[in-house]
């Protein structure tokens, strides 16, 4: 008997709990509690008969109508995990028939007209219908019926937009779950459209959520803004320009996905800085990606600089800003920021900063000595900890030592640094697993610059095989090595193979090398044809760049490349004694840049070929006034001075020593310096001359047609 009473109490307890948890309304909870006492036993069974009996029991109490009772029980079934049963019960409620009354009720409740002619629903009834629609939405979503779920969810927002075109008032729905239901629907709609794999609808849902007033709290708005930005960046759906209301003059309207995502993320950062939202580090990560992909690194640096100190650790902040400036080719600012980090941080925790600083120094010869110290510090800090990072550090150290050797004050110091550079690069080559093309390239390059051409060619061939011919600079390097070995036919074959495997836009360097190989091999007419092809490619690239088509990084340098091509072509015509054609080439150079030292050097060579040495010297002097470090003009001026006589030998010697200081492997300068010493006479000068002739002969044997680097 006691067991029977206990069994009869359980349904009443369950019903009281259901009402308290599901309806979330104090008034309704009291009514359901009274109903439970009046009805006695209510058996909630999962089968249809049990559900119908429960519905009838709730209705007979006089406090809940059929729709309310069915919605309540559907929620219970959903909470039990019976999603299909909950959906079946919800389908029994004619929701569309209630929508007009809901709209009218919301409008009149907002306007405080509860006693108007048409009796509206109470706020509780409106809230219950909204909860019912939302419950049906999540039930459909859980069953994989995403499109139907999205349509149901959209119904909630359609009702609000129709009833309140200006949006929800700030305090409407206080004391109920109405605002929470609307907030959940606003957040859920784009997510359901994404599950349906309908990016355009998801995009419209995000904009709908952000451009209308749903009375959302700041945290929810921030969440939606972040999710929308992520969707714009990574979904692959190209968004159309948002149809915003008329903007004031000067306001920014995004024109594509990246601009809209960047705008949203910057708004979030501003909220973090103002303390309106709790900071989220991932926002900065997404903004970094967006601005990096759009190529706008200076604005990214500005955003980092605006961050409050608490948002990022000072070292991380400076490192990220340095990366931004480095990408914008402001190496000096980046280097100074990295030095600040290394000044106050422990080397063991600053490996990436040490390596990045070394890399920047390796690209600036003036900082080579300083870069060597940073690379050594990185190696000491690694201490065998990571082979891959040690390979990077060794590679950078080898490059830096090679750069530093060029600025050495003595031959002994230069030789020592060159030997160490090669040794360090070899160590990096032994450690690399698998083979690293950067290490192989620099091993080949360093051997070539030290005129160890057999070793250089061996590394270059391994590199070409490793890359499968995909890198232009590797083709150029091996062609230049073969030209230094005086294997002009093989060098031209290499260039032709590269031309076959690369796009026409990339042919500028290859055609220039090919023309020089042909000219050096005495094939002047073929060289002229190749130069004409080169000029055609440059013109096409220049037109593409000027019309807004950025074909390749470096297209801005095509004008200077065109100047060099006309200069080289002028020298070929001079070799053929075609003075008029050479003059036309010089005029072309001056049309591009009237202050180009190449134009005046070519003019000097033309005068010299015609026997006008004074005019030639004047042209060379003008070229040096424009560019004091122009090596060909220094050499030509010295030669002209010697040929003019009058013993202006000290001036000629000065020009030649300056040329060798700038290019110590220039065999022409070295040979002419020997001639100058020979002209001076005397035993010491004779020894100097002999040494210069010997060095010039060795350099000429291994001289490439173009610089290796």
């Amino acid at each position: 008997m006691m067991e029977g009473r206990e069994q009869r109490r359980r349904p009443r307890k369950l019903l009281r709990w259901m009402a308290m948890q599901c309806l979330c309304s104090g008034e309704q909870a009291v009514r359901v509690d009274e109903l439970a006492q009046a009805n006695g036993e209510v058996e909630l069974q999962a089968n249809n008969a049990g559900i119908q009996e429960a519905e009838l029991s709730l209705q007979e109490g006089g406090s809940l109508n059929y729709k309310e009772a069915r919605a309540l029980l559907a929620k219970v079934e959903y909470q039990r995990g019976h999603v299909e049963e909950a959906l079946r019960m919800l389908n029994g409620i004619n929701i569309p028939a209630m929508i007009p009354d809901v709209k009218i009720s919301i409008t009149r409740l907002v306007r405080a007209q509860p006693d108007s002619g048409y009796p509206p629903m109470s706020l509780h009834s409106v809230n219950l219908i909204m909860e019912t629609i939302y419950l049906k939405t999540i039930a459909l979503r859980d069953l994989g019926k995403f499109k139907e779920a999205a349509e149901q969810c959209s119904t909630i927002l359609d009702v609000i937009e129709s009833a309140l075109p200006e949006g929800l008032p700030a305090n409407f729905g206080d004391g109920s779950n109405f605002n929470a239901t609307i907030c959940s629907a606003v957040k859920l709609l784009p997510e359901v459209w994404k599950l349906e794999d309908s990016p355009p609808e998801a995009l419209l849902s995000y904009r709908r959520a952000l451009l209308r007033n749903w009375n959302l709290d700041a945290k929810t708005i921030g969440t939606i803004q972040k999710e929308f930005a992520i969707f714009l960046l990574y979904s692959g759906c190209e968004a159309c320009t948002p149809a915003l209301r008329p903007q004031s003059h000067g306001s920014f309207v995004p024109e594509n996905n990246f601009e809209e995502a960047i705008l949203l993320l910057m708004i979030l950062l501003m909220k973090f800085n103002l303390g309106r939202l709790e900071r989220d580090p991932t926002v900065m990560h997404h903004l970094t990606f967006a601005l990096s992909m759009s190529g706008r690194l200076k604005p990214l640096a500005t955003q980092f600089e605006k961050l409050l100190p608490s948002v990022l650790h000072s070292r991380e902040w400076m490192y990220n800003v340095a990366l931004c400036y480095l990408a914008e080719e402001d190496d000096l600012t980046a280097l100074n920021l990295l030095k600040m980090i290394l000044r106050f941080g422990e080397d063991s925790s600053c490996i990436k900063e040490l390596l990045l600083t070394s890399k920047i120094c390796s690209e600036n010869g003036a900082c080579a000595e300083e870069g060597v110290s940073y690379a050594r510090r990185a190696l000491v800090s690694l201490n065998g900890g990571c082979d891959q990072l040690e390979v990077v550090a060794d590679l950078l150290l080898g490059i830096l030592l090679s750069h530093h050797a060029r600025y050495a004050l003595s031959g002994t110091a230069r030789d020592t640094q060159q030997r160490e550079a090669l040794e360090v690069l070899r160590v990096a080559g032994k450690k690399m697993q698998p083979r690293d093309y950067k290490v192989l390239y620099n091993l080949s390059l360093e051997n070539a610059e030290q005129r160890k051409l057999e070793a250089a060619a061996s590394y270059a061939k391994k590199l070409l095989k490793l890359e499968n011919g995909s890198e232009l600079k590797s083709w150029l390097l091996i062609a230049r090595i073969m030209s230094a070995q005086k294997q002009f036919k093989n060098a031209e074959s290499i260039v032709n193979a590269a031309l076959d495997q690369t796009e026409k836009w990339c042919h500028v360097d290859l055609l220039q090398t090919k023309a020089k190989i042909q000219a050096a091999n005495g094939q002047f007419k073929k060289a002229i044809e190749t130069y004409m092809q080169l000029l055609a490619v440059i013109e096409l690239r220049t037109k593409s760049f000027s019309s807004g088509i950025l074909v390749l990084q470096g297209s801005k340098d095509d004008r200077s490349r065109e100047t060099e091509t006309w200069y080289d072509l002028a020298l070929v015509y001079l070799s053929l004694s075609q003075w008029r054609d050479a003059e036309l080439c010089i005029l072309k150079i001056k049309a591009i840049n009237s202050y180009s030292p190449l134009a005046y050097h070519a003019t000097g060579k033309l005068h010299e070929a015609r026997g006008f040495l004074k005019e030639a010297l004047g042209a060379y002097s003008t070229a040096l006034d424009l560019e004091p470090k122009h090596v060909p003009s220094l050499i030509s001026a010295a030669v002209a001075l010697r040929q003019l006589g009058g013993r202006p030998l000290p001036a000629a010697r000065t020009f030649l020593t300056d040329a060798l200081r700038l290019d110590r492997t220039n065999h022409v300068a070295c040979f002419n310096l020997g001639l100058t010493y020979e002209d001076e006479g005397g035993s010491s000068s004779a020894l100097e001359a002999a040494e210069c002739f010997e060095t010039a002969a060795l350099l000429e044997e291994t001289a490439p047609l173009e610089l290796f680097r």
Side-chain angles (χ1 to χ4, degrees):
M1 184 175 179
M2 291 295 293
E3 291 178 1
R5 289 180 182 176
E6 184 61 30
Q7 289 175 356
R8 289 193 295 272
R9 287 194 191 105
R10 287 175 185 167
R12 286 184 288 181
K13 291 179 180 179
L14 177 59
L15 182 58
R16 187 179 295 112
W17 177 84
M18 287 159 42
M20 294 293 292
Q21 297 297 322
C22 299
L23 298 179
C24 300
S25 168
E27 177 186 354
Q28 190 65 36
V30 172
R31 292 166 63 193
V32 173
D33 188 48
E34 293 171 352
L35 172 67
Q37 295 176 9
N39 287 332
E41 296 181 1
V42 179
E43 296 290 344
L44 297 179
Q45 303 294 336
N47 54 42
N48 294 344
I51 292 170
Q52 290 174 0
E53 182 184 348
E55 290 174 2
L56 289 172
S57 299
L58 289 168
Q59 292 173 58
E60 287 170 2
S63 57
L64 294 178
N65 61 32
Y66 168 81
K67 297 167 187 174
E68 291 173 332
R70 199 170 184 88
L72 173 63
L73 292 171
K75 190 164 187 178
V76 172
E77 290 300 324
Y78 181 82
Q79 290 175 341
R80 286 176 171 179
H82 305 154
V83 180
E84 291 183 0
E85 188 60 42
L87 184 60
R88 189 187 69 78
M89 296 178 66
L90 291 168
N91 286 335
I93 303 173
N94 189 2
I95 294 174
M98 295 185 286
I99 295 300
D101 289 345
V102 172
K103 292 179 182 178
I104 294 171
S105 300
I106 291 174
T107 302
R108 293 184 176 175
L109 285 167
V110 169
R111 295 175 182 173
Q113 296 176 338
D115 299 326
S116 57
Y118 188 87
M121 296 181 180
S122 66
L123 178 60
H124 168 75
S125 298
V126 169
N127 182 40
L128 184 60
I129 293 170
M130 291 296 194
E131 285 187 346
T132 301
I133 300 172
Y134 183 75
L135 179 60
K136 189 172 182 180
T137 298
I138 59 177
L140 288 165
R141 179 202 63 187
D142 292 351
L143 293 173
K145 300 178 180 181
F146 303 124
K147 186 175 181 180
E148 295 176 44
E151 290 170 352
Q152 286 294 321
C153 191
S154 186
T155 301
I156 300 174
L157 306 188
D158 292 340
V159 168
I160 301 300
E161 286 181 330
S162 177
L164 303 171
E166 298 301 321
L168 280 170
N171 298 320
F172 183 73
D174 287 351
S176 72
N177 279 351
F178 184 81
N179 282 331
T181 303
I182 302 302
C183 176
S184 299
V186 170
K187 290 193 295 184
L188 180 63
L189 183 57
E191 299 301 324
V192 178
W193 279 122
K194 286 193 287 185
L195 291 171
E196 174 61 16
D197 194 21
S198 181
E201 295 295 338
L203 186 142
L204 292 174
S205 300
Y206 275 122
R207 286 183 178 158
R208 185 182 188 183
L210 294 174
L211 295 176
R212 295 192 64 84
N213 177 22
W214 303 106
N215 198 17
L216 305 176
D217 60 277
K219 184 177 180 180
T220 301
I221 293 173
T223 301
I224 296 172
Q225 287 174 331
K226 178 187 170 184
E227 293 300 323
F228 187 25
I230 292 171
F231 176 80
L232 288 167
L233 290 175
Y234 311 115
S235 68
C237 170
E238 185 58 39
C240 57
T241 303
L244 301 176
R245 297 176 182 178
Q247 301 292 311
S248 59
H249 179 70
S251 296
F252 173 74
V253 178
E255 296 183 357
N256 53 51
N257 284 25
F258 274 92
E259 288 187 357
E260 194 167 359
I262 289 167
L263 179 62
L264 289 166
L265 294 168
M266 285 184 172
I267 290 171
L268 286 171
L269 280 182
M270 181 181 67
K271 291 179 179 179
F272 296 156
N273 287 337
L274 294 175
R276 295 177 184 174
L277 287 177
E278 185 178 351
R279 74 179 185 90
D280 181 355
T282 61
V283 169
M284 201 66 212
H285 299 162
H286 295 303
L287 182 60
T288 300
F289 169 78
L291 288 171
S292 300
M293 291 299 294
S294 63
R296 299 173 183 176
L297 278 303
K298 275 285 175 70
L300 178 58
T302 303
Q303 290 304 313
F304 272 114
E305 289 167 353
K306 287 181 179 178
L307 290 177
L308 295 177
S310 59
V311 178
L312 287 177
H313 188 274
S314 59
R315 193 177 80 183
E316 183 183 358
W317 175 87
M318 283 190 283
Y319 182 74
N320 282 295
V321 176
L323 286 176
C324 295
Y325 281 111
L326 183 60
E328 287 291 325
E329 299 182 359
D330 189 352
D331 293 1
L332 183 59
T333 303
L335 187 60
N336 289 334
L337 285 165
L338 291 167
K339 286 179 181 178
M340 289 175 64
I341 298 173
L342 297 173
R343 191 177 301 132
F344 300 107
E346 293 290 334
D347 284 0
S348 58
S349 61
C350 297
I351 299 297
K352 63 180 182 180
E353 288 84 356
L354 285 167
L355 293 176
L356 184 58
T357 307
S358 303
K359 183 179 184 300
I360 296 172
C361 292
S362 71
E363 296 169 358
N364 184 352
C367 302
E369 184 176 4
E370 191 176 11
V372 168
S373 67
Y374 288 122
R376 293 191 195 279
R377 285 168 61 181
L379 282 169
V380 171
S381 299
L382 287 165
N383 194 24
C386 176
D387 286 344
Q388 290 180 333
L389 287 179
E390 282 191 358
V391 168
V392 174
D394 282 326
L395 173 62
L396 291 171
L397 179 57
I399 294 171
L400 286 160
L401 286 166
S402 176
H403 289 331
H404 192 209
R406 296 180 212 167
Y407 298 92
L409 298 177
S410 67
T412 304
R414 180 170 58 249
D415 293 341
T416 301
Q417 289 162 0
Q418 286 182 333
R419 281 197 302 271
E420 187 180 1
L422 264 183
E423 182 58 33
V424 169
L425 289 171
R426 288 194 191 104
V427 170
K430 292 176 182 177
K431 290 180 182 176
M432 60 182 183
Q433 291 293 336
R435 291 188 176 275
D436 188 327
Y437 72 94
K438 293 180 181 177
V439 175
L440 285 174
Y441 178 82
N442 282 281
L443 272 168
S444 177
L445 181 61
E446 186 60 30
N447 275 287
E449 289 198 324
Q450 295 187 28
R451 303 301 171 92
K452 299 175 181 179
L453 299 181
E454 290 297 328
S458 174
Y459 284 119
K461 289 173 183 176
K462 291 178 183 177
L463 175 65
L464 208 59
K465 185 177 180 180
L466 177 66
E467 296 172 338
N468 199 23
S470 61
E471 285 293 328
L472 176 63
K473 66 179 184 178
S474 301
W475 287 106
L476 289 169
L477 178 59
I478 193 168
R480 288 165 183 168
I481 291 170
M482 287 186 173
S483 75
Q485 292 175 318
K486 305 303 180 283
Q487 299 177 19
F488 297 123
K489 188 175 181 179
N490 290 339
E492 188 174 355
S493 298
I494 287 289
V495 174
N496 287 332
L499 287 169
D500 291 338
Q501 294 195 31
T502 54
E503 294 292 333
K504 189 173 183 179
W505 302 108
C506 306
H507 287 179
V508 173
D509 291 313
L510 291 169
L511 288 172
Q512 188 177 47
T513 301
K514 181 179 179 178
K516 289 184 177 181
I517 291 170
Q518 290 170 333
N521 205 24
Q523 300 172 327
F524 295 112
K525 289 186 178 180
K526 287 186 176 181
I528 291 171
E529 292 175 3
T530 305
Y531 278 126
M532 290 303 177
Q533 293 178 32
L534 173 57
L535 288 168
V537 174
I538 292 173
E539 184 179 2
L540 184 59
R541 283 167 51 113
T542 303
K543 286 181 178 178
S544 300
F545 182 77
S546 61
S547 62
I549 306 172
L550 184 58
V551 179
L552 287 171
Q553 184 71 24
S555 294
K556 294 179 182 178
D557 297 330
D558 284 339
R559 299 299 287 179
S560 62
R561 188 62 62 86
E562 185 179 1
T563 301
E564 293 173 12
T565 304
W566 285 116
Y567 169 76
D568 291 338
L569 191 55
L571 297 183
V572 173
Y573 282 129
L574 288 173
S575 300
L576 296 172
S577 300
Q578 296 179 216
W579 317 132
R580 181 57 184 162
D581 291 328
E583 286 176 349
L584 290 174
C585 292
I586 293 168
L587 289 174
K588 289 286 188 179
I589 298 172
K590 290 183 176 179
I592 298 169
N593 181 6
S594 58
Y595 298 103
S596 172
L598 297 179
Y600 290 95
H601 182 258
T603 302
K605 297 295 284 186
L606 178 61
H607 289 313
E608 188 176 339
R610 287 175 168 176
F612 306 137
L613 291 179
K614 288 185 178 180
E615 289 80 357
L617 183 58
Y620 298 144
S621 298
T622 304
L624 290 171
D625 289 339
L626 294 170
E627 177 52 68
K629 295 182 179 180
H630 189 239
V631 173
S633 295
L634 288 167
I635 297 171
S636 296
V639 172
L641 283 170
R642 280 188 56 254
Q643 291 177 346
L644 282 171
R647 302 193 64 80
L649 298 179
R653 187 171 63 250
T654 301
F655 282 136
L656 293 168
T657 52
D658 285 346
L660 285 170
R661 179 174 53 81
L662 294 167
D663 181 9
R664 61 181 182 80
T665 59
N666 193 304
H667 65 279
V668 179
C670 195
F671 177 75
N672 279 283
L673 182 60
L675 290 176
T676 304
Y677 281 124
E678 191 176 53
D679 290 344
E680 287 180 351
S683 58
S684 61
S685 296
L687 289 173
E688 293 282 358
E691 186 178 344
C692 287
F693 292 146
E694 184 181 358
T695 304
L698 292 172
L699 290 174
E700 187 178 12
E701 286 180 5
T702 56
L705 296 177
E706 294 179 299
L707 294 176
F708 293 114
R709 193 177 294 276

